[in-house]
Amino acid sequence: MAGWVPADALGRRVLCGTEYGTVRYVGSVPPHAGIWLGVEWDDPQRGKHDGTYEGTQYFKCRHPRGGSFIRPNKANFGVDFLTAVKGRYGLNENQDAQNGIESTCVFGKKTVEFVGRDSIEKKQSQLHRLVHISVHECMVSHAGQKEEISGTCANIRHIDLSKNLVSHWDTVIDIASQVPNLETLDISGNRMKFPSTSVSVSNTFSKLTTLALNQTEITWIEVLLCAPGWPVLEELYLTSNNISVLERPDNVLQTLKLLDLSNNQLLDGSQLHLIGHLPRLEQLILTNNGISSVHFPDAEFGCKTEMFPSLKRLAINDNKISQWSSINELDKLPSLQVLECRNNPLMDTEKNPETLRQLIIAKISQLEFLNKSEIFPDERRGAELDYRKIFGKDWLAAGGHWDPARNKPSEEFLAAHPRYLSLCLKYGAPEEGELKGQQPLTLKNQLLTLTIKCPDNPEQKPVEKKLPESMTIQRVKGLLYRLLRIPGSELKLSYESSKLKGKEVELDNDLKPLQFYSIENGDSVLVRW
């Protein structure tokens, strides 16, 4: 058996020790005797060459040192699904049932419990009672005997099949076709071959709502070819697949509510237009895709796009967005409520992160959460009032006027500040007095070191913060809501001078900056609610 090789070994996934690879060659390698397997390793550091040995190329590798030859007895070709289940749950004929702990698998924000990544509780010791099954890293390579799974595990609804030796999508179908009530399937970490032509529609995945295909090397074209078989799919995870090109999903994925394309290489933001008409898509995760800009050309500034009609949450962390025009474009999304945009070059354009946050809030009208922090009504009001004042001089210089009949700012100004006119309608145009002596937006003015105290809540420890003296009381309140995690109640602020202990001065005008009250370094801001 040391030299036994499966008849379909070519293209199969194998495990050698702790290293995963794909068989690219089966045969002799002169002058060495016997049969050898040419393996392309997932980790190129495990290899020695590109499939060429002593001048003869036996197979090809993507990495110049990603391949090597091993003897067949060194390769583990895996086991069938049910054997892995029985082994994982301690139910092989030669094993006793084991007690143990539960583990979890996370799909986006949703956590599904899988009993038995290491062992199983006694009450679930019978396979037919199992609803959640995990065979993570159990070397599953094939389905096994026909109908064997359905006859043994009739109640399965959730399967974690991640990081195994599945080589072909057909194997997934063979397993899933025996699990009629399957709702959640994770096959991440299985580098497999997917269909290159349209898949015939069947009932195999008729109840599947969540599918994870992370690190499977699937392309977007292959997703669309398989998608007719997922008629009720709601969540699709496709991270780390080197997807660089999208196509419009016609008549497929129409039930999708969440799409995770993180850690791919879409690069061009216009690729998003191709998936912009998924009618039910509520969450789109595009972390680390190299995207440098976002644009919705079907809508003029101040108008809403017809793309992404249901999109509530957008995550664009760790991209290359550097221009405020992309933030302006996000206000065109009609349903956007939650935005995550950390670690983009744009974040470096302002030295003060509070200023940056206030600008984003002012530019996107419907936003309720920014970078996982709630936007309270008072913070929004303060951000919008500040924005209206900060760019007031630019508005006047561009043709703006207090007289509505003469208020005709230039197209360039409106393109840079598409919400400005609506803010003037909401709060009134900035008065001339507001624009005098205005501090520059870069906030190079002096920072005040203040101690934040909650005298009515002694369990809340004092916090020291550095705030620009030009910061309005309204914005200070917005900061405190987040800093102290105070629910949406009305804040009352006052300050105590370090030079006049025991005397409080009420900070009663939300539109005035800290410097208006002659607050100095070392003073304390007192917070009550």
Side-chain angles (χ1 to χ4, degrees), residues 168-189:
H168 202 286
W169 178 249
D170 286 346
T171 300
V172 180
I173 293 177
D174 290 342
I175 294 171
S177 62
Q178 300 181 58
V179 186
N181 295 313
L182 186 62
E183 298 173 7
T184 301
L185 176 62
D186 185 357
I187 49 176
S188 302

Side-chain angles (χ1 to χ4, degrees), residues 436-449:
K436 291 182 178 179
Q438 183 182 312
Q439 292 287 348
L441 183 60
T442 53
L443 294 180
K444 293 180 180 177
N445 45 314
Q446 184 180 358
L447 292 176
L448 298 173
T449 301

Side-chain angles (χ1 to χ4, degrees), residues 424-485:
C424 288
L425 289 173
K426 186 175 181 179
Y427 300 107
E431 297 178 5
E432 189 172 4
E434 290 183 77
L435 305 182
K436 291 182 178 179
Q438 183 182 312
Q439 292 287 348
L441 183 60
T442 53
L443 294 180
K444 293 180 180 177
N445 45 314
Q446 184 180 358
L447 292 176
L448 298 173
T449 301
L450 305 175
T451 301
I452 311 299
K453 298 180 179 179
C454 302
D456 296 342
N457 298 78
E459 70 278 3
Q460 181 71 52
K461 296 181 179 180
V463 179
E464 188 176 280
K465 293 291 290 183
K466 290 186 177 181
L467 304 178
E469 60 183 14
S470 63
M471 194 174 196
T472 62
I473 303 304
Q474 187 73 54
R475 287 175 59 190
V476 173
K477 286 183 177 180
L479 169 66
L480 294 174
Y481 274 121
R482 298 192 306 280
L483 180 67
L484 304 177
R485 299 182 179 178

Side-chain angles (χ1 to χ4, degrees), residues 114-402:
F114 289 94
V115 181
R117 278 200 176 180
D118 296 309
S119 53
I120 181 173
E121 294 182 326
K122 285 183 178 179
K123 66 180 181 179
Q124 289 186 308
S125 61
Q126 298 300 316
L127 292 179
H128 70 272
R129 297 176 59 187
L130 291 174
V131 175
H132 303 265
I133 280 186
S134 170
V135 284
H136 173 78
E137 288 190 327
C138 283
M139 299 183 293
V140 176
S141 62
H142 56 287
Q145 297 295 319
K146 189 175 182 181
E147 305 305 327
E148 188 177 28
I149 299 172
S150 58
T152 310
C153 308
N155 293 313
I156 301 176
R157 292 180 182 274
H158 310 279
I159 298 177
D160 179 1
L161 192 59
S162 59
K163 200 66 176 177
N164 278 282
L165 298 177
V166 178
S167 304
H168 202 286
W169 178 249
D170 286 346
T171 300
V172 180
I173 293 177
D174 290 342
I175 294 171
S177 62
Q178 300 181 58
V179 186
N181 295 313
L182 186 62
E183 298 173 7
T184 301
L185 176 62
D186 185 357
I187 49 176
S188 302
N190 289 280
R191 297 191 181 186
M192 69 181 82
K193 185 176 181 180
F194 290 89
S196 57
T197 57
S198 296
V199 176
S200 57
V201 179
S202 68
N203 294 323
T204 302
F205 300 104
S206 61
K207 296 183 180 179
L208 188 70
T209 58
T210 301
L211 176 60
L213 290 164
N214 305 321
Q215 294 178 300
T216 57
E217 299 194 336
I218 193 169
T219 67
W220 182 253
I221 297 298
E222 290 167 343
V223 169
L224 298 185
L225 290 173
C226 294
W230 312 327
V232 296
L233 193 66
E234 295 182 355
E235 299 186 10
L236 179 58
Y237 299 86
L238 297 170
T239 71
S240 305
N241 281 309
N242 292 318
I243 294 172
S244 59
V245 177
L246 300 178
E247 284 195 13
R248 182 166 178 159
D250 293 321
N251 303 317
V252 293
L253 303 178
Q254 300 300 295
T255 58
L256 205 61
K257 293 182 179 180
L258 183 151
L259 177 60
D260 189 349
L261 286 165
S262 298
N263 301 315
N264 286 291
Q265 289 298 311
L266 295 177
L267 301 179
D268 183 0
S270 64
Q271 287 282 319
L272 303 182
H273 303 163
L274 298 168
I275 57 172
H277 298 282
L278 292 172
R280 300 184 186 179
L281 188 65
E282 296 178 357
Q283 300 187 61
L284 180 59
I285 307 170
L286 299 169
T287 299
N288 190 28
N289 265 278
I291 295 172
S292 58
S293 65
V294 179
H295 180 48
F296 302 108
D298 65 319
E300 297 293 329
F301 46 77
C303 301
K304 298 299 183 183
T305 177
E306 294 184 1
M307 300 182 197
F308 300 103
S310 302
L311 191 66
K312 295 179 180 179
R313 176 193 171 212
L314 176 63
I316 49 174
N317 300 315
D318 302 298
N319 279 287
K320 297 181 179 180
I321 295 171
S322 60
Q323 300 297 321
W324 281 106
S325 57
S326 290
I327 302 298
N328 291 338
E329 289 292 308
L330 297 182
D331 189 51
K332 294 180 180 180
L333 293 168
S335 304
L336 186 65
Q337 298 174 358
V338 181
L339 175 65
E340 297 170 31
C341 56
R342 293 189 182 93
N343 300 325
N344 280 279
L346 179 67
M347 306 300 113
D348 298 327
T349 60
E350 292 298 328
K351 293 183 179 179
N352 190 303
E354 280 303 311
T355 299
L356 189 76
R357 177 180 171 86
Q358 300 303 312
L359 288 172
I360 295 174
I361 290 171
K363 283 178 173 289
I364 306 177
S365 59
Q366 298 174 158
L367 214 55
E368 296 179 4
F369 285 83
L370 175 58
N371 292 329
K372 299 186 177 181
S373 177
E374 185 174 0
I375 301 168
F376 291 100
D378 281 352
E379 183 183 15
R380 171 163 291 286
R381 183 172 183 271
E384 291 178 343
L385 284 169
D386 272 4
Y387 189 93
R388 162 185 157 276
K389 182 172 69 173
I390 287 170
F391 295 101
K393 288 185 176 179
D394 293 343
W395 168 67
L396 289 173
H401 200 276
W402 292 280

